[in-house]
Amino acid sequence: MTKPKVLISDKMDPNAARIFEERGCDVDVITGETPEQLIARIGEYDGLAIRSSTKVTQAILDAAPNLKVIGRAGIGVDNVDIPAASAKGVVVMNTPFGNSITTAEHAIALMFALARQLPEANAQTQAGLWPKNGFMGVEVTGKTLGLIGAGNIGSIVASRALGLKMKVVAFDPFLTPERAVEMGVEKVDLDGLLSRADFITLHTPLTDQTRNILSAENLAKTRKGVRIINCARGGLVDEAALKEGLDSGHIAGAALDVFQTEPAKDSPLFGTPNFICTPHLGASTTEAQVNVALQVAEQMADFLVSGGVTNALNMPSLSAEEAPKLKPYMALAEKLGSLVGQLTRDSVPRISIHTEGAATELNQKPIVAAVLAGFLRVQSDTVNMVNAPFLAKERGLEVREVKTEREGDYHTLVRVSVKTESGERSVAGTLFNNVEPRLVEMFGIKVEADLSGHMMYIVNEDAPGFIGRIGTLLGENGINIGTFNLGRRNTGGEAVLLLSVDSPVSENVLKQACELPGVKMVKALSF
Ligand SMILES: NC(=O)c1ccc[n+]([C@@H]2O[C@H](COP(=O)([O-])OP(=O)(O)OC[C@H]3O[C@@H](n4cnc5c(N)ncnc54)[C@H](O)[C@@H]3O)[C@@H](O)[C@H]2O)c1
Ligand SMILES: O=C(O)[C@H](O)COP(=O)(O)O
């Protein structure tokens, strides 16, 4: 088996490259390239490991036919075009916790730096000015910290601030009252936070709802003397309005680790009194960088080598332990979805995936995604488990999941039914020896077939001599039959025949088969 190839395109702790190699991947570390250079190179890679510098655009994805996974050694994925990656079937994963403590500590560090004007005091002291009377600070004890965003990082900041004897108020629409109590913070609305906070710290992603959350209008609602810290994302704070607030003295201090445009080499804020900044250093500690590098490499290697999916933003999780159990089910599900897709000519408004017996104990999401991938692949060969659920939604396909824990005729069963203009049609399969996918029922008729390679599906009237005739026809056309699977509704009634053949069946042979007496339908299938 050829080794998966991974490109690390941003500066990353060397542990990442080591893990990739130990886990059986070939790895190149090539950082600082232009988008054009990356476009020229990316085609040969299965995995791309990044931090925030590499921008993964549609153009880069278009140039990456082999790419299967993008791993972000860090949290924010706003530098990845996730819809475009999903449409291309590329898994996007991040490491949501590896740098949270470090970033929370940076926010606290900036809060103290603002409270005591440390950078300027340091600069003037080292310039020989000994400015003992120029830097009257404020205590943080007893002050109110306004937290915008109370997720992983926000909650760590809150715990540190409480340890510093601050009062913490939090605005986060998704924060439950129970969690607020657990965190020891008071849940407030945004206006409440703005009017009460002595310090405001931001810890949300950049979304349409959070963009410009500290707009000119909202900054005007803050207390005079407020100090603002942003270690989350540029774009959350209106930088021009922030400068005005600092210049007017309404805002007593502001500390930005992140900027609207990065790298920020020139900003109107530079040189403004009481403004301090760092160059997106929130995650830059040895500990955090080792954490995220190890995690991203483990996750990506897991996916590329054994199919495990952890912390993916566009695919259900699948642990490396679950993956071996689920893999045969995913193969079965994909084959059943593909069978239905190949045999359905009508439009399908609804597809149902019904599991029975042992299959119900497993994570259903990958099974459903595999059915959809098989079903939709008939329409486009770029469909996979990542993009199939998105495509299904885009095409208005209703997806139903049903579980029946009780075993039926088989210890485990996956049934795929589609609603078509001519009614509900379903196929079902099981796993022999827990690993071998087998079709066991087709449109209400019991059959037993291994769906693989080139196949022929024939519906005919059950009558003597038919099997001989079809055998002769295929033989005359040089087509060797591998397996022969028969099923019928009742003696002399409708029968189905599934043949596996060693070579593709031409249109001409299909036509001849169609003309045999008693034949109602013939279709070539491939798996
Ligand atoms: N400066 C850095 O180097 C650095 C390092 C790590 C993370 N970050 C950034 O910090 C941010 C927070 O990371 P996290 O791990 O805490 O994320 P998280 O997902 O755990 O928390 C984000 C919180 O924001 C809340 N939120 C969402 N929309 C909101 C809205 N409209 N108003 C208020 N709250 C809202 C969510 O409910 C959630 O609780 C991310 O943008 C991440 O990229 C920056
Ligand atoms: O979202 C993150 O994890 C931070 O912004 C860190 O970004 P970095 O990896 O580029 O330092």
Side-chain angles (χ1 to χ4, degrees):
M1 201 179 89
T2 52
K3 287 181 170 184
K5 269 194 98 169
V6 176
L7 174 66
I8 299 179
S9 64
D10 283 332
K11 194 164 170 12
M12 211 171 281
D13 186 90
N15 276 297
R18 177 180 63 78
I19 294 284
F20 279 125
E21 276 164 5
E22 282 176 11
R23 298 287 307 271
C25 302
D26 279 334
V27 60
D28 291 329
V29 182
I30 304 167
T31 60
E33 288 199 312
T34 62
E36 292 69 31
Q37 288 169 319
L38 184 54
I39 284 172
R41 183 183 305 286
I42 193 69
E44 59 186 285
Y45 293 98
D46 302 284
L48 175 65
I50 57 167
R51 282 178 62 192
S52 59
S53 298
T54 300
K55 312 286 175 229
V56 187
T57 58
Q58 175 85 54
I60 286 171
L61 289 158
D62 285 344
N66 295 327
L67 196 63
K68 297 167 188 69
V69 58
I70 298 165
R72 160 58 155 127
I75 296 172
V77 281
D78 38 342
N79 50 326
V80 180
D81 186 337
I82 296 181
S86 302
K88 292 251 163 212
V90 178
V91 175
V92 181
M93 36 178 74
N94 70 349
T95 58
F97 311 109
N99 63 25
S100 321
I101 292 176
T102 278
T103 307
E105 287 182 358
H106 197 59
I108 298 286
L110 291 178
M111 180 174 73
F112 274 122
L114 284 178
R116 305 300 286 268
Q117 297 155 268
L118 296 180
E120 189 55 27
N122 169 61
Q124 291 192 19
T125 307
Q126 296 207 48
L129 298 176
W130 197 249
K132 182 152 173 61
N133 298 323
F135 291 98
M136 192 58 75
V138 289
E139 285 184 351
V140 300
T141 299
K143 298 291 187 315
T144 298
L145 176 66
L147 203 64
I148 301 183
N152 291 324
I153 297 173
S155 56
I156 299 169
V157 169
S159 78
R160 305 307 188 256
L162 292 169
L164 293 168
K165 310 292 176 213
M166 298 181 84
K167 158 103 188 141
V168 182
V169 297
F171 167 66
D172 184 328
F174 306 102
L175 176 68
T176 62
E178 295 76 23
R179 175 73 183 136
V181 170
E182 205 182 305
M183 284 171 61
V185 304
E186 182 183 338
K187 183 174 156 81
V188 292
D189 62 14
L190 185 57
D191 280 356
L193 181 145
L194 298 173
S195 64
R196 285 173 60 188
D198 300 298
F199 292 84
I200 295 176
T201 183
L202 293 131
H203 300 288
T204 68
L206 181 65
T207 64
D208 289 345
Q209 288 70 42
T210 61
R211 191 179 307 280
N212 224 11
I213 195 163
L214 290 188
S215 59
E217 194 189 337
N218 282 341
L219 285 171
K221 293 180 186 167
T222 57
R223 288 174 73 126
K224 183 167 166 42
V226 69
R227 290 174 171 84
I228 292 163
I229 301 132
N230 185 6
C231 283
R233 277 293 176 268
L236 298 177
V237 184
D238 179 331
E239 290 176 10
L242 186 66
K243 174 152 175 65
E244 271 178 37
L246 285 164
D247 286 343
S248 72
H250 178 81
I251 299 172
L256 298 188
D257 181 48
V258 285
F259 286 82
Q260 220 157 313
T261 306
E262 293 184 10
K265 296 205 170 152
D266 183 20
S267 162
L269 283 159
F270 291 173
T272 306
N274 300 315
F275 172 71
I276 62 181
C277 58
T278 46
H280 203 144
L281 290 184
S284 297
T285 63
T286 317
E287 293 85 349
Q289 285 314 310
V290 170
N291 282 346
V292 295
L294 288 174
Q295 266 177 39
V296 85
E298 292 281 3
Q299 288 176 195
M300 290 176 71
D302 248 10
F303 178 70
L304 290 169
V305 177
S306 51
V309 182
T310 313
N311 295 326
L313 296 126
N314 56 355
M315 194 180 159
S317 281
L318 177 62
S319 70
E321 294 75 51
E322 272 181 310
K325 255 197 227 162
L326 266 160
K327 266 191 172 169
Y329 279 96
M330 287 172 357
L332 170 67
E334 189 156 350
K335 283 171 190 285
L336 295 174
S338 169
L339 178 62
V340 175
Q342 293 184 65
L343 290 177
T344 310
R345 286 185 218 135
D346 304 345
S347 66
V348 173
R350 187 176 72 215
I351 185 163
S352 308
I353 297 104
H354 184 161
T355 51
E356 214 176 272
T360 58
E361 290 160 20
L362 300 167
N363 182 352
Q364 304 290 292
K365 292 259 176 301
I367 297 177
V368 171
V371 168
L372 295 177
F375 180 71
L376 293 170
R377 190 156 312 122
V378 182
Q379 299 170 23
S380 155
D381 57 9
T382 57
V383 177
N384 66 11
M385 281 179 58
V386 178
N387 53 17
F390 296 90
L391 274 176
K393 201 165 173 198
E394 206 175 272
R395 293 178 188 180
L397 177 64
E398 184 194 342
V399 182
R400 283 197 186 165
E401 290 174 43
V402 187
K403 283 207 265 183
T404 306
E405 284 172 22
R406 188 175 25 85
E407 283 180 19
D409 290 347
Y410 297 89
H411 81 288
T412 190
L413 193 88
V414 179
R415 178 180 296 280
V416 178
S417 313
V418 285
K419 184 181 169 201
T420 68
E421 282 155 21
S422 33
E424 194 90 15
R425 318 183 78 202
S426 86
V427 299
T430 189
L431 290 179
F432 281 5
N433 304 320
N434 286 320
V435 287
E436 295 162 36
R438 282 288 190 288
L439 176 74
V440 292
E441 194 194 304
M442 214 177 161
F443 310 138
I445 298 180
K446 298 250 185 260
V447 284
E448 195 206 296
D450 175 13
L451 298 173
S452 65
H454 301 291
M455 299 192 83
M456 252 180 112
Y457 168 67
I458 303 169
V459 183
N460 62 293
E461 281 159 18
D462 182 28
F466 177 71
I467 292 174
R469 282 195 286 277
I470 191 81
T472 306
L473 170 69
L474 293 178
E476 281 169 359
N477 284 280
I479 298 173
N480 193 36
I481 299 176
T483 60
F484 211 95
N485 310 280
L486 265 172
R488 62 185 179 184
R489 232 175 264 288
N490 47 44
T491 315
E494 194 178 71
V496 297
L497 183 58
L498 263 172
L499 300 173
S500 76
V501 287
D502 292 346
S503 47
V505 184
S506 68
E507 281 300 321
N508 183 31
V509 174
L510 290 177
K511 195 163 162 277
Q512 290 177 49
C514 232
E515 285 162 2
L516 293 176
V519 170
K520 294 181 171 177
M521 178 190 172
V522 180
K523 184 116 180 71
L525 304 170
S526 74
F527 296 93

